Amino acid sequence: MSRIKSCFAQLKNNNKKALIPYVAAGDPNPEITLDLMHAMVQSGADIIELGVPFSDPMADGPVIQKASERALIYGTSLTDVLAIIKQFRETNDTTPVVLMGYLNPIEVMGYDVFAKAASGAGVDGVLTVDIPPEEAQDYIPALRQNGLDPIFLLSPTTTRERMALICQYASGFIYYVAVKGVTGTAALDTTEVARRLKIINEVTDLPIGVGFGIKSAETAAAVGQVADAVVVGSALVNLVEQNAHALSNAEGNIKIIEEISQVLLSMRTALDA
Amino acid sequence: MTTQKQDQVGKKLSDMPDETGHFGQYGGIFVPETLMEPLKELKEAYIHYFQDPDFVTELDSDLTNYVGRPSPLYFAQRWSRELGGAKIYLKREDLNHTGAHKVNNTVGQMLLAKRMGKTRIIAETGAGQHGVATATVAARLGLECVVYMGAEDIQRQALNVYRMKLLGARVVSVESGSRTLKDALNEAMRDWVTNIDNTFYIIGTAAGPHPYPAMVRDFQAIIGREAKQQIMTHEGRLPDALVACIGGGSNAIGLFYPFVDDIDVSMYGVEAAGHGLETGNHAAPLCAGKPGVLHGNRTYLMEDRHGQIIPTHSVSAGLDYPGVGPEHSWLKDIGRANYVAVTDEEALKGFHDLTLTEGIMPALESSHAIAYVTKLAPTMDKEQIIIMNLSGRGDKDIHTVATIDGIEF
């Protein structure tokens, strides 16, 4: 059984919801990411979503755009991100890791080369924001053949017909984008999310994660009532930004890890309550 | 990568793209899920209204009475004689309302927006010509208009920024990334994803996700259709070569497309070599880039070995873009069109040459085409014919040219 599958199975047995933090790899410097991943697991993360920095993050709001820019100052590449995950796997063989990013770095590496390398590094799922299933005839088999879950987004504009099409190709879990907009947008409407999740649940048996617009422990708890997983990104990356200009990287990194851990612990508590 | 479909036997080159928006391996739809449904609606509207007689009549009437079409096809006799080769005809898109070919497309997309019931218009702009052309048609219909423009370009093109403001548009300065056209496009996409219910995104070039490359081409193809008729009137035969500058490639595809099945007509797309292709400081993805995926389509890009998009340079803000329309990528790969590049310096010489020999002051974008014609024409016979697209006028660039020539106002 894949790590993602057994993660959701175990959570279901314990009647719990998955907490999925997103951070951009290499933000604000490459040294932090490995420690931050382990710290997030200790603070209650069930799955880690690791952003692959890209020069043109079309679907991201200002907070994650800046995260990409900070990571790219150090030239953090897809290859570098895979190396970090490989290190993470030396001491953690259970927590699933999902890559989130844009197609071009994968396209340039080549789908097969990428999928083999990612699988070898210990990646479990790949969420590529700008490849719909219609364009993924070669991408999906490359991932599948290497034991990687292609994770796809559903959005408020996705028709029921498209949901069925997308869920046919998706595995691992479904990621529901809770708002029309970019990452870090305000005001997620929990009633509307619940209504949409009901429809998605009729279309697929896959677990459903909800992201975009989850900023507080309260919202996380509310979404946890209706979803299988809660994804929190910009709220964490904000904490990176606030400490990105510390006197030294080492000093800033300690504060970032502390603050992100605290937020995750409070979300974990709220989700489990 | 997607493999090319094998069912194209017997099809004409002009039958592209296929149903899913692909030109061979290029084009397609590479966008976040939220945009899939709006793009489907746009595609349906575009296909429907292009066959709707009322729409076509209204478009023709606007192009005639508002834009001022047909634009002349002018025989540049003195310039041709000086170069001592082929006869050079200029397609005078610089004489359109707002001073460039961009308005052909904005008039068309605005009519679509109106029919689709959209009340808010957004656009990206580099040099500001597309922003002005969009603000112009939005003013005419009284629609809210927001134009995204890189902070760098706002500095370079102050005159056009002011023109847009006079036309009632809000110009938003884009501070992310390299703060140029590509970042303005990212920001416009983000706006669209957030406001899809009431907003129509008028993309200014023949790039982006399907149906934009095909739709923008079809609105710009009026350039080539007129040129074809006009050259038959002047010369009684088709030209030997077409020349146009390429940033995203909308003026070039507008000229090329109606000739694409006439395989004896050569086509030359001229990219910006900036400080020289060998320096890396240029904006020539077709000449010196590699295929990749950006802004919703697969096409040639300026990118590093990790797939990050790299900064571009051109003296002309309108060519300063790391991608290119997917149809050009395909025309390059199948060998139907030739893509070349000229430097900033050559383009500036072209600017002065045409101004002095013909009394026509071209845009710095179009000056790239001029610079290539000065190389191409002398290699051809006196009986041969070149049609060059003079895509825009140079008023907006006078400040840039003066600064380079060391003149302060």
Side-chain angles (χ1 to χ4, degrees), chain B residues 134-200:
Chain B
T134 303
T136 298
V137 290
R140 183 174 169 236
L141 293 182
L143 296 181
E144 182 190 352
C145 178
V146 179
V147 179
Y148 290 93
M149 189 165 183
E152 287 283 322
D153 292 334
I154 286 184
Q155 294 287 325
R156 290 195 280 189
Q157 303 285 340
L159 181 66
N160 271 343
V161 174
Y162 186 54
R163 285 170 83 192
M164 288 184 265
K165 286 180 183 165
L166 288 175
L167 289 159
R170 187 159 69 85
V171 180
V172 179
S173 173
V174 178
E175 307 283 347
S176 58
S178 61
R179 305 166 10 130
T180 58
L181 175 57
K182 81 174 175 73
D183 309 285
L185 223 149
N186 290 332
E187 207 54 38
M189 284 277 184
R190 292 178 190 124
D191 178 314
W192 198 32
V193 127
T194 310
N195 301 295
I196 34 175
D197 294 333
N198 69 344
T199 298
F200 191 103

Side-chain angles (χ1 to χ4, degrees), chain B residues 73-344:
Chain B
L73 185 71
Y74 166 72
F75 175 39
Q77 196 168 7
R78 184 163 171 236
W79 192 38
S80 303
R81 201 165 53 226
E82 286 208 353
L83 292 176
K87 295 173 83 169
I88 305 159
Y89 283 84
L90 302 176
K91 182 61 175 161
R92 298 290 310 274
E93 293 299 299
D94 59 317
L95 295 177
N96 292 339
H97 179 42
T98 73
H101 71 290
K102 292 291 185 188
V103 72
N104 300 328
N105 170 49
T106 59
V107 159
Q109 288 200 48
M110 189 63 79
L111 288 182
L112 265 186
K114 198 171 83 173
R115 292 225 177 7
M116 291 175 77
K118 303 291 182 183
T119 55
R120 182 174 174 271
I121 302 300
I122 60 170
E124 85 294 337
T125 198
Q129 288 304 104
H130 174 57
V132 167
T134 303
T136 298
V137 290
R140 183 174 169 236
L141 293 182
L143 296 181
E144 182 190 352
C145 178
V146 179
V147 179
Y148 290 93
M149 189 165 183
E152 287 283 322
D153 292 334
I154 286 184
Q155 294 287 325
R156 290 195 280 189
Q157 303 285 340
L159 181 66
N160 271 343
V161 174
Y162 186 54
R163 285 170 83 192
M164 288 184 265
K165 286 180 183 165
L166 288 175
L167 289 159
R170 187 159 69 85
V171 180
V172 179
S173 173
V174 178
E175 307 283 347
S176 58
S178 61
R179 305 166 10 130
T180 58
L181 175 57
K182 81 174 175 73
D183 309 285
L185 223 149
N186 290 332
E187 207 54 38
M189 284 277 184
R190 292 178 190 124
D191 178 314
W192 198 32
V193 127
T194 310
N195 301 295
I196 34 175
D197 294 333
N198 69 344
T199 298
F200 191 103
Y201 179 16
I202 300 191
I203 294 186
T205 193
H210 183 62
Y212 282 102
M215 181 171 73
V216 174
R217 174 198 71 196
D218 290 347
F219 283 129
Q220 291 292 3
I222 183 81
I223 302 172
R225 283 200 304 273
E226 285 176 5
K228 205 171 188 175
Q229 273 187 1
Q230 289 165 321
I231 201 68
M232 292 307 287
T233 308
H234 286 298
E235 297 280 351
R237 69 174 186 90
L238 293 180
D240 299 282
L242 306 174
V243 180
C245 66
I246 299 217
S250 71
N251 92 78
I253 205 68
L255 175 64
F256 291 178
Y257 182 67
F259 293 92
V260 82
D261 295 322
D262 303 311
I263 49 161
D264 292 333
V265 179
S266 310
M267 298 171 172
Y268 297 89
V270 187
E271 292 192 306
H275 295 143
L277 291 183
E278 70 289 350
T279 66
N281 294 319
H282 58 79
L286 288 166
C287 291
K290 283 179 314 202
V293 172
L294 179 72
H295 293 151
N297 63 121
R298 183 179 282 120
T299 192
Y300 277 86
L301 297 176
M302 305 262 302
E303 58 190 350
D304 68 15
R305 66 196 172 88
H306 299 297
Q308 307 294 349
I309 307 308
I310 56 178
T312 51
H313 165 79
S314 170
V315 67
S316 134
L319 304 184
D320 209 348
Y321 178 65
V324 63
E327 191 160 7
H328 288 296
S329 294
W330 174 69
L331 290 172
K332 171 189 161 77
D333 280 11
I334 63 169
R336 175 65 188 92
N338 309 289
Y339 295 92
V340 295
V342 305
T343 62
D344 287 353

Side-chain angles (χ1 to χ4, degrees), chain A residues 53-60 65 69 72 77 103-105 107-108 111 129-130 132 134-135 138 153 155 157-159 162 166 180-182, chain B residues 1-3 22 28-34 36-37 176-177 182 186 189-190 193-194 196-197 292-294 298 301 303 305-309:
Chain A
F54 183 50
S55 53
D56 293 79
M58 182 170 80
D60 286 300
Q65 286 172 42
E69 286 180 19
L72 287 174
S77 67
L103 184 59
N104 203 46
E107 177 104 355
V108 165
Y111 296 161
V129 178
D130 54 351
E134 287 91 336
E135 297 285 355
D138 301 329
L153 301 172
S155 89
T157 58
T158 311
T159 59
R162 260 190 80 70
I166 294 168
K180 291 178 192 163
V182 294
Chain B
M1 307 253 267
T2 317
T3 44
H22 292 91
I29 305 181
F30 295 88
V31 295
E33 174 59 25
T34 309
M36 290 302 288
E37 198 58 29
S176 58
K182 81 174 175 73
N186 290 332
M189 284 277 184
R190 292 178 190 124
V193 127
T194 310
I196 34 175
D197 294 333
V293 172
L294 179 72
R298 183 179 282 120
L301 297 176
E303 58 190 350
R305 66 196 172 88
H306 299 297
Q308 307 294 349
I309 307 308

Side-chain angles (χ1 to χ4, degrees), chain A residues 110-154:
Chain A
Y111 296 161
D112 287 321
V113 174
F114 160 73
K116 277 193 189 76
S119 173
V123 173
D124 301 285
V126 184
L127 198 179
T128 303
V129 178
D130 54 351
I131 189 165
E134 287 91 336
E135 297 285 355
Q137 310 91 313
D138 301 329
Y139 165 92
I140 293 170
L143 296 188
R144 283 261 163 76
Q145 279 157 22
N146 289 282
L148 299 169
D149 285 317
I151 293 163
F152 284 101
L153 301 172
L154 298 182

Side-chain angles (χ1 to χ4, degrees), chain A residues 143-237:
Chain A
L143 296 188
R144 283 261 163 76
Q145 279 157 22
N146 289 282
L148 299 169
D149 285 317
I151 293 163
F152 284 101
L153 301 172
L154 298 182
S155 89
T157 58
T158 311
T159 59
R160 196 192 166 103
E161 191 188 359
R162 260 190 80 70
M163 282 179 188
L165 171 92
I166 294 168
C167 291
Q168 241 178 36
Y169 294 107
S171 58
F173 62 95
I174 289 290
Y175 188 134
Y176 179 64
V177 174
V179 290
K180 291 178 192 163
V182 294
T183 52
T185 326
L188 159 164
D189 177 350
T190 42
T191 323
E192 176 61 12
V193 169
R195 196 184 69 79
R196 297 284 296 177
L197 290 201
K198 208 169 157 241
I199 303 172
I200 302 171
N201 269 318
E202 288 166 14
V203 173
T204 181
D205 294 329
L206 287 170
I208 304 167
V210 173
F212 284 42
I214 298 173
K215 288 188 184 333
S216 64
E218 292 74 41
T219 318
V223 171
Q225 297 290 318
V226 290
D228 301 297
V230 172
V231 186
V232 52
S234 295
L236 303 181
V237 176

